[in-house]
Amino acid sequence: MITAEWEQRMAGAWASFDEHGEAQFLMLVEQIVAELPPDHPVALFERAGALDSVGRTALAVPLYRQALDAGLSGSRRRQAVIQLASSLRALGEAQESIALLTAELVAGSDELDDAVKTVLALALTDVGREREAVSIAVGALAAHLPRYQRSMAEYARLLTEPDPVADPEADVRS
């Protein structure tokens, strides 16, 4: 069963990631998730994340999918989608990554929106859609700027949408 104490130990394991070698970190995560049933969505997700974090991306992908299929919910569900999409991108499956993240953008909004957009921008770049990628990245960054938020958001929009007020000839000459 997942308790506050269990969550604390899992958070501690992740916080100590840089203090462990690959095998040691995987063992630490495995010890904690072993307290859950093997097919528990959170156990599957944490195993996937651990494998992904040590570079075993191809092994992580099926576990992310299983976690999502098993009903992973809350913040971990969105993290799983982002991490799965990032892993797919790394494995050369950028189109599937784009599809997952595009759906995720309309599925709701939370503190992970910019992470969704960041991975989406990377995946778009992988398939030759650089203007769209920069538009998404600049749009996400604009919200965090202390000044120029409105103009940067507009510039981001104009990368992918024509300015209906602008003279088309002016665009050609500039």
Side-chain angles (χ1 to χ4, degrees):
M1 171 164 297
I2 297 177
T3 63
E5 185 268 335
W6 187 93
E7 290 283 11
Q8 205 169 25
R9 287 187 291 125
M10 184 56 68
W14 283 104
S16 70
F17 178 81
D18 291 328
E19 300 167 20
H20 302 287
E22 180 179 311
Q24 187 182 22
F25 178 72
L26 291 174
M27 189 174 5
L28 176 61
V29 170
E30 187 55 41
Q31 288 171 345
I32 298 168
V33 299
E35 298 170 22
L36 302 175
D39 60 347
H40 192 286
V42 172
L44 294 165
F45 168 73
E46 295 294 348
R47 282 185 180 107
L51 287 165
D52 211 358
S53 293
V54 299
R56 298 184 186 182
T57 302
L59 296 174
V61 167
L63 293 174
Y64 286 133
R65 292 186 196 279
Q66 289 171 20
L68 291 165
D69 290 345
L72 189 64
S73 62
S75 179
R76 280 189 173 103
R77 187 208 62 78
R78 196 152 205 221
Q79 290 173 53
V81 172
I82 294 165
Q83 291 168 211
L84 171 59
S86 179
S87 296
L88 289 168
R89 176 190 165 270
L91 294 172
E93 300 294 331
Q95 291 291 359
E96 186 177 356
S97 177
I98 292 167
L100 283 169
L101 295 167
T102 301
E104 194 61 30
L105 281 177
V106 297
S109 182
D110 64 14
E111 71 280 355
L112 295 174
D113 288 353
D114 289 342
V116 173
K117 291 173 185 176
T118 300
V119 178
L120 177 58
L122 291 168
L124 288 167
T125 300
D126 289 346
V127 299
R129 293 165 59 186
E130 291 87 358
R131 286 185 70 84
E132 190 177 350
V134 170
S135 174
I136 289 169
V138 170
L141 180 60
H144 303 282
L145 298 174
R147 298 186 63 112
Y148 315 111
Q149 293 172 340
R150 191 175 329 131
S151 58
M152 290 303 140
E154 181 65 5
Y155 294 148
R157 183 189 67 77
L158 289 174
L159 282 168
T160 58
E161 298 175 19
D163 185 353
V165 185
D167 176 3
E169 293 299 317
D171 287 343
V172 172
R173 286 181 256 136
S174 57

